[in-house]
Amino acid sequence: MFCFSVILPKPSISNTPAGELTWGQDVSITCSISTQHLGGTFTLQQTSGSFRKTQTSNTNSATFNIPQVNFNNEGLYQCQYQTRVSGREFSFPQSDSIRLSVTGKEE
């Protein structure tokens, strides 16, 4: 029996627009991965809240849209990537975190 280890890269994560968000603004969070094993599932998770979305992608990235943010959307977010290769499931490491900050409603 042969044992081998695979070093899996962690996804990168970014948000548009960057910086502080205003209540009611739309935000997009993009997760991308540097791997030749495309055709997997990206999961975006709010680390301190209940937000969790998954998206399958045939490319190396997925974009999650959060419309009309409010204070519940504040916090840290991370991406994870999973894919199946030759019948084996691979879970890539968690991405670094990004923080969404929301300011009050504009009068």
Side-chain angles (χ1 to χ4, degrees), residues 30-50:
T30 299
C31 304
S32 59
I33 189 76
S34 177
T35 178
Q36 70 268 34
H37 301 302
L38 303 180
T41 301
F42 287 92
T43 301
L44 177 66
Q45 173 101 37
Q46 185 183 20
T47 60
S48 57
S50 59

mmCIF file of all heavy atoms in Angstrom, residues 30-50:
data_model
loop_
_atom_site.group_PDB
_atom_site.id
_atom_site.type_symbol
_atom_site.label_atom_id
_atom_site.label_comp_id
_atom_site.label_asym_id
_atom_site.label_seq_id
_atom_site.Cartn_x
_atom_site.Cartn_y
_atom_site.Cartn_z
ATOM 1 N N THR A 30 -16.203 36.957 -4.030
ATOM 2 C CA THR A 30 -15.673 36.008 -5.003
ATOM 3 C C THR A 30 -14.648 35.096 -4.336
ATOM 4 O O THR A 30 -13.733 35.577 -3.663
ATOM 5 C CB THR A 30 -15.033 36.735 -6.194
ATOM 6 O OG1 THR A 30 -16.028 37.530 -6.844
ATOM 7 C CG2 THR A 30 -14.454 35.743 -7.201
ATOM 8 N N CYS A 31 -14.840 33.806 -4.531
ATOM 9 C CA CYS A 31 -13.893 32.794 -4.068
ATOM 10 C C CYS A 31 -13.217 32.195 -5.297
ATOM 11 O O CYS A 31 -13.894 31.855 -6.272
ATOM 12 C CB CYS A 31 -14.609 31.688 -3.312
ATOM 13 S SG CYS A 31 -15.605 32.267 -1.922
ATOM 14 N N SER A 32 -11.910 32.064 -5.254
ATOM 15 C CA SER A 32 -11.197 31.465 -6.381
ATOM 16 C C SER A 32 -10.132 30.511 -5.855
ATOM 17 O O SER A 32 -9.665 30.637 -4.718
ATOM 18 C CB SER A 32 -10.576 32.533 -7.274
ATOM 19 O OG SER A 32 -9.688 33.336 -6.549
ATOM 20 N N ILE A 33 -9.778 29.554 -6.709
ATOM 21 C CA ILE A 33 -8.847 28.510 -6.299
ATOM 22 C C ILE A 33 -7.838 28.279 -7.417
ATOM 23 O O ILE A 33 -8.180 28.357 -8.597
ATOM 24 C CB ILE A 33 -9.605 27.192 -5.968
ATOM 25 C CG1 ILE A 33 -8.683 26.155 -5.323
ATOM 26 C CG2 ILE A 33 -10.299 26.619 -7.187
ATOM 27 C CD1 ILE A 33 -8.367 26.432 -3.896
ATOM 28 N N SER A 34 -6.595 28.020 -7.041
ATOM 29 C CA SER A 34 -5.552 27.729 -8.016
ATOM 30 C C SER A 34 -5.300 26.223 -8.022
ATOM 31 O O SER A 34 -4.520 25.704 -7.224
ATOM 32 C CB SER A 34 -4.277 28.498 -7.659
ATOM 33 O OG SER A 34 -3.239 28.165 -8.547
ATOM 34 N N THR A 35 -6.018 25.527 -8.896
ATOM 35 C CA THR A 35 -5.875 24.082 -9.001
ATOM 36 C C THR A 35 -6.296 23.647 -10.389
ATOM 37 O O THR A 35 -7.098 24.324 -11.037
ATOM 38 C CB THR A 35 -6.727 23.342 -7.942
ATOM 39 O OG1 THR A 35 -6.574 21.931 -8.123
ATOM 40 C CG2 THR A 35 -8.199 23.684 -8.079
ATOM 41 N N GLN A 36 -5.750 22.528 -10.828
ATOM 42 C CA GLN A 36 -6.180 22.001 -12.121
ATOM 43 C C GLN A 36 -7.421 21.139 -11.984
ATOM 44 O O GLN A 36 -8.006 20.722 -12.980
ATOM 45 C CB GLN A 36 -5.052 21.197 -12.795
ATOM 46 C CG GLN A 36 -4.726 19.871 -12.136
ATOM 47 C CD GLN A 36 -3.626 19.990 -11.100
ATOM 48 O OE1 GLN A 36 -3.506 21.004 -10.419
ATOM 49 N NE2 GLN A 36 -2.819 18.946 -10.985
ATOM 50 N N HIS A 37 -7.838 20.863 -10.744
ATOM 51 C CA HIS A 37 -8.997 20.007 -10.504
ATOM 52 C C HIS A 37 -10.257 20.871 -10.409
ATOM 53 O O HIS A 37 -10.748 21.176 -9.324
ATOM 54 C CB HIS A 37 -8.803 19.185 -9.229
ATOM 55 C CG HIS A 37 -7.588 18.319 -9.263
ATOM 56 N ND1 HIS A 37 -7.385 17.364 -10.249
ATOM 57 C CD2 HIS A 37 -6.502 18.265 -8.470
ATOM 58 C CE1 HIS A 37 -6.234 16.752 -10.035
ATOM 59 N NE2 HIS A 37 -5.671 17.287 -8.969
ATOM 60 N N LEU A 38 -10.751 21.289 -11.560
ATOM 61 C CA LEU A 38 -11.931 22.141 -11.599
ATOM 62 C C LEU A 38 -13.191 21.283 -11.596
ATOM 63 O O LEU A 38 -13.160 20.093 -11.824
ATOM 64 C CB LEU A 38 -11.882 23.035 -12.840
ATOM 65 C CG LEU A 38 -10.634 23.917 -12.956
ATOM 66 C CD1 LEU A 38 -10.705 24.759 -14.225
ATOM 67 C CD2 LEU A 38 -10.469 24.801 -11.735
ATOM 68 N N GLY A 39 -14.298 21.950 -11.360
ATOM 69 C CA GLY A 39 -15.557 21.224 -11.274
ATOM 70 C C GLY A 39 -15.834 20.793 -9.849
ATOM 71 O O GLY A 39 -15.979 19.610 -9.562
ATOM 72 N N GLY A 40 -15.879 21.760 -8.946
ATOM 73 C CA GLY A 40 -16.100 21.469 -7.538
ATOM 74 C C GLY A 40 -17.140 22.382 -6.940
ATOM 75 O O GLY A 40 -17.893 23.056 -7.644
ATOM 76 N N THR A 41 -17.173 22.400 -5.636
ATOM 77 C CA THR A 41 -18.162 23.177 -4.895
ATOM 78 C C THR A 41 -17.463 24.173 -3.988
ATOM 79 O O THR A 41 -16.585 23.791 -3.201
ATOM 80 C CB THR A 41 -19.050 22.250 -4.037
ATOM 81 O OG1 THR A 41 -19.709 21.313 -4.895
ATOM 82 C CG2 THR A 41 -20.097 23.051 -3.277
ATOM 83 N N PHE A 42 -17.856 25.427 -4.104
ATOM 84 C CA PHE A 42 -17.381 26.475 -3.202
ATOM 85 C C PHE A 42 -18.434 26.695 -2.122
ATOM 86 O O PHE A 42 -19.634 26.720 -2.413
ATOM 87 C CB PHE A 42 -17.175 27.790 -3.955
ATOM 88 C CG PHE A 42 -15.979 27.815 -4.865
ATOM 89 C CD1 PHE A 42 -16.104 27.461 -6.201
ATOM 90 C CD2 PHE A 42 -14.731 28.192 -4.388
ATOM 91 C CE1 PHE A 42 -15.010 27.490 -7.050
ATOM 92 C CE2 PHE A 42 -13.631 28.219 -5.235
ATOM 93 C CZ PHE A 42 -13.772 27.871 -6.560
ATOM 94 N N THR A 43 -17.972 26.862 -0.903
ATOM 95 C CA THR A 43 -18.858 27.187 0.216
ATOM 96 C C THR A 43 -18.378 28.489 0.846
ATOM 97 O O THR A 43 -17.197 28.629 1.165
ATOM 98 C CB THR A 43 -18.863 26.076 1.283
ATOM 99 O OG1 THR A 43 -19.298 24.854 0.680
ATOM 100 C CG2 THR A 43 -19.796 26.426 2.434
ATOM 101 N N LEU A 44 -19.318 29.421 0.983
ATOM 102 C CA LEU A 44 -19.036 30.685 1.667
ATOM 103 C C LEU A 44 -19.729 30.637 3.017
ATOM 104 O O LEU A 44 -20.936 30.393 3.097
ATOM 105 C CB LEU A 44 -19.543 31.868 0.850
ATOM 106 C CG LEU A 44 -19.370 33.245 1.492
ATOM 107 C CD1 LEU A 44 -17.896 33.613 1.620
ATOM 108 C CD2 LEU A 44 -20.110 34.312 0.684
ATOM 109 N N GLN A 45 -18.956 30.868 4.077
ATOM 110 C CA GLN A 45 -19.474 30.740 5.434
ATOM 111 C C GLN A 45 -19.166 31.994 6.235
ATOM 112 O O GLN A 45 -18.043 32.510 6.203
ATOM 113 C CB GLN A 45 -18.821 29.532 6.120
ATOM 114 C CG GLN A 45 -19.135 29.388 7.585
ATOM 115 C CD GLN A 45 -20.189 28.341 7.839
ATOM 116 O OE1 GLN A 45 -20.229 27.312 7.188
ATOM 117 N NE2 GLN A 45 -21.049 28.607 8.790
ATOM 118 N N GLN A 46 -20.185 32.484 6.930
ATOM 119 C CA GLN A 46 -19.981 33.559 7.900
ATOM 120 C C GLN A 46 -19.547 32.893 9.200
ATOM 121 O O GLN A 46 -20.291 32.100 9.774
ATOM 122 C CB GLN A 46 -21.279 34.345 8.085
ATOM 123 C CG GLN A 46 -21.167 35.557 8.983
ATOM 124 C CD GLN A 46 -22.515 36.240 9.171
ATOM 125 O OE1 GLN A 46 -23.555 35.632 8.941
ATOM 126 N NE2 GLN A 46 -22.502 37.487 9.571
ATOM 127 N N THR A 47 -18.326 33.178 9.639
ATOM 128 C CA THR A 47 -17.757 32.396 10.742
ATOM 129 C C THR A 47 -18.482 32.616 12.059
ATOM 130 O O THR A 47 -18.492 31.735 12.914
ATOM 131 C CB THR A 47 -16.264 32.708 10.921
ATOM 132 O OG1 THR A 47 -16.107 34.101 11.199
ATOM 133 C CG2 THR A 47 -15.484 32.363 9.657
ATOM 134 N N SER A 48 -19.094 33.785 12.239
ATOM 135 C CA SER A 48 -19.741 34.067 13.517
ATOM 136 C C SER A 48 -21.255 34.212 13.368
ATOM 137 O O SER A 48 -21.911 34.753 14.251
ATOM 138 C CB SER A 48 -19.173 35.351 14.122
ATOM 139 O OG SER A 48 -19.339 36.421 13.201
ATOM 140 N N GLY A 49 -21.805 33.725 12.267
ATOM 141 C CA GLY A 49 -23.241 33.864 12.044
ATOM 142 C C GLY A 49 -23.805 32.655 11.339
ATOM 143 O O GLY A 49 -23.161 31.613 11.229
ATOM 144 N N SER A 50 -25.027 32.813 10.833
ATOM 145 C CA SER A 50 -25.738 31.678 10.254
ATOM 146 C C SER A 50 -25.636 31.632 8.734
ATOM 147 O O SER A 50 -26.128 30.686 8.116
ATOM 148 C CB SER A 50 -27.215 31.740 10.658
ATOM 149 O OG SER A 50 -27.795 32.956 10.212
#
